[in-house]
Amino acid sequence: DYYAPVHREEVVVLDDVLMNGDALVPFGAERANAALMGRFGNVFLLNGEPNYRVTAARGEVIRFFLTNVSNTRTFNLSFGGAPLKVVGSDIGLYEREAWTESVVLAPAERAIVHVRFPVAGTLAIENRVTGMDHLGGRFFPEVDTLGSVTVGDAAATPDLGGSFNALREHRFVQQDIDRGEHVGLTSQV
């Protein structure tokens, strides 16, 4: 009962690499360079794949364990408008689950989300961020498709719509927070 029921779990590792054609651009092959501080890649990868694909049954609820292993890029991940709720992070469950349209993951950050796929069809897994034209001083939307979820016509069984639609509160998490505050483990400003 730690997590709400789901049909299955998927682990997804997010990354980006800098490619020149079919070759990986090396990190300072001859001498140290700024790449040691991290660099943005031009190819996105989910589980090492540039075009990640997953299938789901109509109404299926999937728990995704997401990890951003890129060295610089922050991702803002969405699942083609499918209902998404954030349930936890690298430290475990959140005090309260929350609905969201996307989940933001900084480098080395992890998130646990539940996604329900209620309608048959193909949904894009997207990274939606705001880019900046430094020379022109303007912001613009950037949307990159990282993969897709193909939802079949057959309905998932059992129907987990009711439990998915309920946002759970985890009192034991709040009790842990309260216990830490009581013994002075939280920082005070």
Side-chain angles (χ1 to χ4, degrees), residues 27-51:
F27 282 97
E30 309 294 319
R31 62 188 185 287
N33 62 27
L36 294 174
M37 295 181 285
R39 66 177 178 194
F40 288 99
N42 56 2
V43 175
F44 294 98
L45 302 172
L46 296 185
N47 288 354
E49 297 292 329
N51 194 10

Side-chain angles (χ1 to χ4, degrees), residues 53-56 62 64 79 117 121-125 147-151:
R53 296 181 188 280
V54 65
T55 59
I62 301 176
F64 287 95
F79 291 83
F117 300 98
T122 300
L123 303 173
I125 301 172
S148 63
V149 180
T150 302
V151 183

Side-chain angles (χ1 to χ4, degrees), residues 121-184:
T122 300
L123 303 173
I125 301 172
E126 295 177 325
N127 181 43
R128 294 179 169 269
V129 297
T130 301
M132 181 177 178
D133 173 359
H134 292 279
L135 186 60
R138 64 179 184 85
F139 295 96
F140 56 92
E142 285 187 47
V143 179
D144 293 293
T145 299
L146 309 179
S148 63
V149 180
T150 302
V151 183
D153 290 324
T157 57
D159 181 359
L160 298 177
S163 61
F164 176 79
N165 290 330
L167 291 176
R168 295 173 41 166
E169 290 192 20
H170 304 102
R171 288 190 166 75
F172 67 93
V173 175
Q174 182 58 50
Q175 291 168 348
D176 282 350
I177 293 169
D178 292 345
R179 191 172 27 258
E181 289 175 349
H182 178 71
V183 295

